[in-house]
Amino acid sequence: MQGDEEVIQETQKMTKKNSFYPTKMSSRQELGDSSSELYRPAFTSRDKLDHEKLWSIMGSYLKNDVQTIQENIVNHIEYTLARTRFNFDNTACYQATAHAVRDRLIESWNDTQQHWTNQDPKRIYYMSLEFLLGRAMQNALTNLKVEGQFKQALLDLGYKLEEIYEEEHDPALGNGGLGRLAACFLDSMATMDLPAWGYGIRYNYGIFAQKIVNGYQLEVPDYWLTYGNPWEIERLDVKYPIRFYGRVHRVNENGKERAIWDGGEIVLAQAYDNPIPGYNTFTTINLRLWRSVPTQEFDFSLFNQADYMKAIEARQRAEYISSVLYPNDSTYSGKELRLKQQYFFVSATLQDIIRRFKKRKRSWKDFPEKVCVQLNDTHPGLAIIELLRILIDIEGLEREQAWSIVGKTFAYTNHTVLPEALEKWGVDLIGSLLPRHLEMIYEVNYFWLEKVGQKFPGDDGKLASLSIIEEGPVKKVRIANLCIVGSSAVNGVAALHSDLLKTTIFKDFHQMFPKKIQNKTNGVTPRRWVLCCNPGLAELYTRVLGSQDWVIELGLVRQIEKKADQAEFQSVWAEIKLENKRRLAKWVQKHCGIKVNEHSLFDVMVKRMHEYKRQLMNALYAIHRYFTIKDARPEERVNFVPRTIFIGGKAAPGYLSAKRVIKLINAIGEVVNNDREVNDYLKVVFLPNYNVSNAEVIIPAAELSQHISTAGMEASGTSNMKFTMNGCLIIGTMDGANVEIAEEAGKENQFIFGATVDQVEGLRKKMRETDPNEYAGPILNRIFRAIEDNVFGAREDLVPLIDTIRNRNDYYLVCHDFEDYLRAQDEVTHFLATAEPFS
């Protein structure tokens, strides 16, 4: 038997041989074939190695040959799921396969964390209330570079990997671009071998699952955890207490006054870890999600008194906190629950970060040298005050030192230029729920306004706009202002958006801190949005470019331009697009019951439903196109390019106008799709329950995508990037990231229309001064009359909808931009009628 010293030497020899951690995490591709034994790093130089046998057994990674993978899957069938070979359906196969993949992720995850513990670098902590991750299995297999082996292993067992993918339910952890950006950041940070963690909430039901009933949106709970989540690791040993309500009193300790917050109600935040693998690297970072649980599951004394409901009341109150993403805040209790949710999240996260920081003995002044916290929007903004409270009230630091640490620790990403979308919380609500935090907010604001007064003496307007407290009949705390004051840097998410922050809503802050507001344009990962969702196009890129390097250096695809005019390349490209369109057509037939022409132009608009995104404009265009085809003689109709208009997205439960747009789209589809004179040339389809996995079918099939927000109102947009990467033309306004896409992909690949940012305010003024009877124009007025005449039904809902854009109400300039929108659409039609087969 080998001695301890020999084991250490042998392990070090093996890890050196496999070059696991030189200056960065090694590429999986570099380290041999899937059947070879790959040894794990020793992470030690101790003279004495404890648990020799344990080290020996855990000294190598699971092999990735087909035989080993099959054994792993079969073991999980029996020993994890307690299933038999006689009771092994696709759902069980998915669960067992997911555990087999997770086993490999956990190995890399453990070694990644140990590596960073040893190296002790500055860590990135990304805090976001949303992480719109999408399905995990294909992404993990692709990033681990073992998809082929797992596919063969399952095929030999009698299962198809593509069918197993469909068994996975999308995690209901996000809603829109903010959550998708957060997910892409995690993938990219892992791929770049960065020492990063993500933090969020483990929602039981997410936002909601969307069903369409009689053309109306119906919200139902998204039961994504019904069959458990095989990717997560429940951490029963990682729990932190979170206090609400209570009182603040002061004590004198050694001649120094100290505030104590006690009493009230305490819940526990329990951790659930989700490994996030980088592409072709052993780096696997962590997304830690918090679930709220009670400190006491069950009050036995109340139960014995036959008060059964009260016996579980505390448990229910605790569990509500992490039940739903964005609780409806139209009532006081809804607002309180949403604020509870946000504080629960930031308090648990900061306690976890501080615990990790304290693993080594060091001074608090080193905290910003080891910790960087990125706030994804204002939702985690209370983290600024929570860290200040911990440093002063618990750790005993002086106020000046504590605030200096706070200001160097945080950075803030802003996602909106809409003043109404910037979070504000009532002073009374914060005072009731978080009394100590309200005291500290006032204290921070007092010293902050002193600085403002020194910079702008006698300027009451600056004091009012820069204050963290908004005065008025109901005093409110401006969380965006708090985030700017308490952060070292603030960024917008597109060049235009960042410029608007400096010149509009945060103009005074920009004068105060000329270098604080920066631009960091949003991005998307080509791993999920090309390699996984469009394998045909990915294979073409790889074949033409000679390697898969484009997967991490997307700029390499520029070289494909040299092939664009070659007939063979165009033919392959067109066949890939057609195959993707067939896949979407099957999906639509299955989920919508509508048969679409796979040779028609696939015109797609999928995004969160909002007035500024102007899905209404697209719907009005569908009516106009319907009338135009209907007006034509039968022999003229053959000149129309067949088009299928797809629109999808969720409306917030309380957002009546957005929900009415969904009804209008479905009402148009009901008429158009059943009109035999027209439906060979036009179909209108609402795509229900838009989410990441649906997007992976929709986006590769699109030929034209619509990004038509009112100029200056879309912070960035990320779906426009995904569509462009998949060979899709854009019709849109010069808004958000459309501007930068035009610079990168060429304006010739976009059909631009509409008012520009500098024109918007003047046009709104003109709209309010124009006779409503003359404002809309004859085409729109005809559409309005048809809706009023109940051509599309649901008059009681649709007339109030069109009233939101006429009678001097056209705030989002739908009517104003409509004529230019028609011009751009005519350009699309002309281009497609005269161009070669789509290329």
Side-chain angles (χ1 to χ4, degrees):
M1 182 175 171
Q2 285 182 306
D4 293 342
E5 198 63 39
E6 289 171 282
V7 171
I8 291 176
Q9 290 172 0
E10 190 64 27
T11 309
Q12 289 174 336
K13 226 184 285 180
M14 290 167 178
T15 50
K16 186 175 182 182
K17 170 187 171 186
N18 285 289
S19 183
F20 188 84
Y21 280 110
T23 55
K24 62 167 270 180
M25 304 291 272
S26 300
S27 158
R28 290 180 177 271
Q29 224 165 11
E30 294 169 354
L31 297 177
D33 62 63
S34 59
S35 61
S36 59
E37 188 144 32
L38 188 61
Y39 292 95
R40 300 172 72 175
F43 292 124
T44 182
S45 57
R46 293 176 296 172
D47 295 332
K48 180 81 174 163
L49 183 64
D50 297 326
H51 309 298
E52 175 190 333
K53 191 67 176 176
L54 181 66
W55 274 66
S56 175
I57 293 170
M58 298 179 68
S60 61
Y61 288 103
L62 287 169
K63 290 194 287 187
N64 287 319
D65 60 288
V66 170
Q67 178 69 27
T68 302
I69 290 169
Q70 288 171 339
E71 290 171 358
N72 296 156
I73 292 172
V74 170
N75 283 341
H76 279 298
I77 291 165
E78 185 148 28
Y79 304 129
T80 303
L81 305 179
R83 293 280 195 120
T84 72
R85 54 196 154 170
F86 308 109
N87 183 24
F88 184 38
D89 55 16
N90 275 3
T91 301
C93 185
Y94 159 70
Q95 293 276 346
T97 305
H99 279 95
V101 179
R102 193 188 76 162
D103 290 345
R104 287 155 174 79
L105 294 178
I106 288 173
E107 290 178 334
S108 296
W109 185 91
N110 280 332
D111 287 343
T112 299
Q113 302 314 314
Q114 189 58 50
H115 170 66
W116 287 335
T117 297
N118 288 5
Q119 296 294 315
D120 193 30
K122 184 173 185 174
R123 299 197 191 216
I124 305 159
Y125 296 103
Y126 194 84
M127 293 181 65
S128 178
L129 268 192
E130 292 188 41
F131 285 94
L132 204 55
L133 298 168
R135 292 169 174 167
M137 182 176 284
Q138 186 182 13
N139 188 71
L141 291 176
T142 300
N143 282 7
L144 295 175
K145 300 191 78 69
V146 292
E147 188 177 29
Q149 296 96 299
F150 269 79
K151 185 174 185 176
Q152 187 60 52
L154 287 168
L155 196 60
D156 291 349
L157 292 172
Y159 298 89
K160 292 182 179 179
L161 181 58
E162 293 77 11
E163 294 178 0
I164 300 307
Y165 285 153
E166 294 302 313
E167 293 294 321
E168 184 174 357
H169 197 301
D170 274 40
L173 300 172
N175 179 35
L178 181 145
R180 190 55 227 158
L181 174 71
C184 286
F185 265 129
L186 293 186
D187 178 275
S188 295
M189 289 190 289
T191 298
M192 296 174 69
D193 302 313
L194 297 177
W197 280 59
Y199 280 98
I201 293 179
R202 181 184 181 268
Y203 304 104
N204 289 345
Y205 306 111
I207 186 162
F208 60 83
Q210 180 193 57
K211 290 189 175 181
I212 303 300
V213 179
N214 297 323
Y216 291 94
Q217 172 179 290
L218 177 66
E219 303 95 28
V220 298
D222 190 344
Y223 297 107
W224 73 285
L225 290 169
T226 298
Y227 298 105
N229 178 11
W231 302 100
E232 69 185 9
I233 302 141
E234 184 179 15
R235 297 294 193 187
L236 293 171
D237 58 327
V238 181
K239 294 180 181 177
Y240 296 103
I242 314 295
R243 186 185 304 278
F244 300 108
Y245 310 111
R247 67 190 184 101
V248 180
H249 59 98
R250 283 163 173 78
V251 296
N252 194 294
E253 293 181 351
N254 302 319
K256 181 181 175 182
E257 185 180 82
R258 186 165 77 88
I260 295 177
W261 177 29
D262 58 15
E265 176 180 291
I266 295 176
V267 301
L268 295 177
Q270 181 183 330
Y272 287 75
D273 289 343
N274 298 262
I276 307 293
Y279 175 77
N280 194 26
T281 173
F282 281 85
T283 300
T284 299
I285 65 173
N286 192 39
L287 169 60
R288 177 159 284 180
L289 302 175
W290 301 109
R291 177 190 172 203
S292 55
V293 297
T295 52
Q296 184 181 357
E297 284 278 338
F298 187 75
D299 191 323
F300 202 74
S301 62
L302 286 173
F303 187 83
N304 283 341
Q305 295 168 28
D307 197 343
Y308 305 125
M309 294 306 295
K310 201 160 186 66
I312 59 170
E313 190 178 90
R315 174 183 167 185
Q316 288 177 325
R317 279 201 312 273
E319 290 180 345
Y320 287 154
I321 294 172
S322 58
S323 288
V324 177
L325 169 64
Y326 301 142
N328 189 331
D329 60 356
S330 59
T331 64
Y332 182 87
S333 59
K335 288 182 175 67
E336 184 182 66
L337 180 57
R338 191 178 279 205
L339 184 60
K340 264 188 176 182
Q341 191 177 74
Q342 293 185 8
Y343 177 67
F344 163 84
F345 163 45
V346 303
S347 179
T349 299
L350 285 172
Q351 289 182 69
D352 201 46
I353 291 170
I354 289 169
R355 175 193 60 79
R356 196 169 297 112
F357 173 76
K358 283 182 164 184
K359 281 185 176 180
R360 296 197 181 202
K361 190 175 181 181
R362 47 188 154 201
S363 166
W364 277 106
K365 68 180 177 58
D366 296 329
F367 191 77
E369 302 304 315
K370 295 298 178 183
V371 173
C372 173
V373 179
Q374 187 71 36
L375 306 175
N376 192 26
D377 213 352
T378 53
H379 310 127
L382 285 174
I384 290 168
I385 295 299
E386 175 67 355
L387 179 58
L388 186 66
R389 183 189 71 83
I390 292 170
L391 294 177
I392 294 175
D393 292 356
I394 298 174
E395 300 298 336
L397 272 64
E398 296 294 332
R399 189 196 68 81
E400 292 79 5
Q401 183 188 6
W403 183 246
S404 174
I405 291 168
V406 169
K408 295 173 184 174
T409 298
F410 292 98
Y412 159 54
T413 298
N414 172 275
H415 284 271
T416 184
V417 291
L418 305 179
E420 66 272 19
L422 297 174
E423 279 194 309
K424 300 172 187 176
W425 292 108
V427 163
D428 290 345
L429 175 59
I430 294 180
S432 168
L433 193 67
L434 305 168
R436 177 59 176 145
H437 295 73
L438 182 61
E439 288 184 354
M440 300 191 92
I441 288 169
Y442 269 108
E443 187 176 331
V444 167
N445 197 48
Y446 173 81
F447 288 106
W448 161 242
L449 291 182
E450 276 196 340
K451 289 185 178 180
V452 174
Q454 292 166 8
K455 177 86 172 179
F456 304 106
D459 192 334
D460 291 343
K462 287 283 195 298
L463 288 172
S465 72
L466 293 173
S467 175
I468 297 169
I469 305 296
E470 180 180 87
E471 301 295 339
V474 178
K475 285 190 176 185
K476 294 180 180 180
V477 176
R478 298 163 166 159
I479 303 299
N481 286 22
L482 174 63
C483 288
I484 297 172
V485 172
S487 295
S488 61
V490 177
N491 72 278
V493 290
L496 176 61
H497 171 232
S498 300
D499 288 343
L500 286 170
L501 293 181
K502 296 174 186 177
T503 57
T504 57
I505 57 173
F506 298 146
K507 177 181 178 181
D508 291 340
F509 277 107
H510 183 54
Q511 290 180 19
M512 187 80 183
F513 303 118
K515 295 182 180 178
K516 181 173 273 195
I517 300 176
Q518 311 165 6
N519 179 56
K520 298 289 184 291
T521 298
N522 277 355
V524 297
T525 164
R527 268 79 65 188
R528 182 177 291 275
W529 294 111
V530 180
L531 190 61
C532 288
C533 77
N534 199 343
L537 185 60
E539 186 181 336
L540 179 62
Y541 283 169
T542 300
R543 189 165 72 247
V544 172
L545 297 172
S547 76
Q548 277 197 333
D549 291 350
W550 62 270
V551 177
I552 52 175
E553 293 289 344
L554 193 59
L556 293 173
V557 300
R558 283 188 181 278
Q559 299 173 30
I560 289 175
E561 284 181 317
K562 301 169 188 173
K563 301 273 187 180
D565 294 329
Q566 296 180 8
E568 182 184 355
F569 179 83
Q570 290 183 3
S571 174
V572 174
W573 180 282
E575 185 54 41
I576 291 167
K577 181 63 72 173
L578 181 58
E579 187 54 40
N580 288 327
K581 290 172 71 176
R582 286 173 179 147
R583 184 167 61 133
L584 176 56
K586 288 179 183 176
W587 188 95
V588 169
Q589 179 77 58
K590 177 181 177 182
H591 294 277
C592 308
I594 300 171
K595 184 175 176 58
V596 300
N597 175 10
E598 64 192 36
H599 295 288
S600 65
L601 168 69
F602 277 22
D603 173 353
V604 179
M605 185 178 190
V606 283
K607 50 185 81 242
R608 182 168 50 89
M609 304 296 293
H610 198 290
E611 287 168 284
Y612 82 81
K613 293 178 184 286
R614 302 201 293 192
Q615 288 95 343
L616 176 57
M617 179 183 282
N618 193 355
L620 297 175
Y621 171 73
I623 296 175
H624 167 69
R625 190 169 182 85
Y626 172 63
F627 287 163
T628 305
I629 298 170
K630 193 82 171 165
D631 291 344
R633 294 192 301 272
E635 63 271 19
E636 294 174 331
R637 290 175 186 156
V638 296
N639 296 319
F640 285 90
V641 175
R643 183 184 295 223
T644 303
I645 297 174
F646 299 99
I647 305 176
K650 294 178 180 179
Y655 197 168
L656 185 57
S657 289
K659 295 176 87 167
R660 283 172 170 165
V661 173
I662 292 174
K663 174 58 181 174
L664 175 61
I665 295 163
N666 283 292
I668 296 167
E670 188 69 24
V671 172
V672 172
N673 301 343
N674 290 294
D675 189 329
R676 292 184 178 179
E677 291 184 344
V678 171
N679 63 22
D680 283 343
Y681 307 101
L682 180 66
K683 288 277 180 75
V684 177
V685 180
F686 186 83
L687 301 168
N689 202 39
Y690 181 62
N691 58 24
V692 175
S693 57
N694 294 347
E696 290 174 11
V697 177
I698 296 163
I699 289 172
E703 294 165 304
L704 179 72
S705 64
Q706 303 214 27
H707 308 276
I708 57 177
S709 52
T710 310
M713 304 197 79
E714 182 71 86
S716 173
T718 55
S719 67
N720 45 11
M721 304 175 193
K722 297 163 197 165
F723 281 105
T724 301
M725 286 187 343
N726 282 275
C728 181
L729 298 172
I730 283 179
I731 182 169
T733 52
M734 290 302 279
D735 194 27
N738 282 357
V739 178
E740 287 151 287
I741 291 174
E743 293 169 0
E744 290 293 321
K747 271 197 173 182
E748 65 276 12
N749 293 315
Q750 293 188 359
F751 298 91
I752 300 299
F753 75 94
T756 55
V757 173
D758 57 311
Q759 298 171 330
V760 166
E761 282 306 317
L763 290 170
R764 285 175 178 152
K765 182 174 183 295
K766 184 179 178 182
M767 174 267 297
R768 289 189 287 269
E769 295 170 350
T770 301
D771 183 340
N773 296 317
E774 299 176 3
Y775 180 69
I779 293 174
L780 274 176
N781 282 327
R782 180 187 180 187
I783 294 169
F784 295 159
R785 284 195 300 274
I787 291 171
E788 289 172 328
D789 292 343
N790 216 28
V791 171
F792 302 98
R795 186 181 185 281
E796 68 283 359
D797 284 312
L798 301 186
V799 171
L801 174 62
I802 59 175
D803 284 343
T804 65
I805 61 170
R806 57 182 184 173
N807 302 325
R808 298 191 173 99
N809 291 323
D810 191 24
Y811 181 80
Y812 299 100
L813 301 183
V814 173
C815 293
H816 175 272
D817 282 355
F818 192 73
E819 185 176 339
D820 201 28
Y821 178 53
L822 296 186
R823 174 198 57 76
Q825 289 283 13
D826 287 344
E827 286 183 11
V828 172
T829 301
H830 176 73
F831 172 78
L832 293 171
T834 58
E836 295 294 323
F838 189 83
S839 56

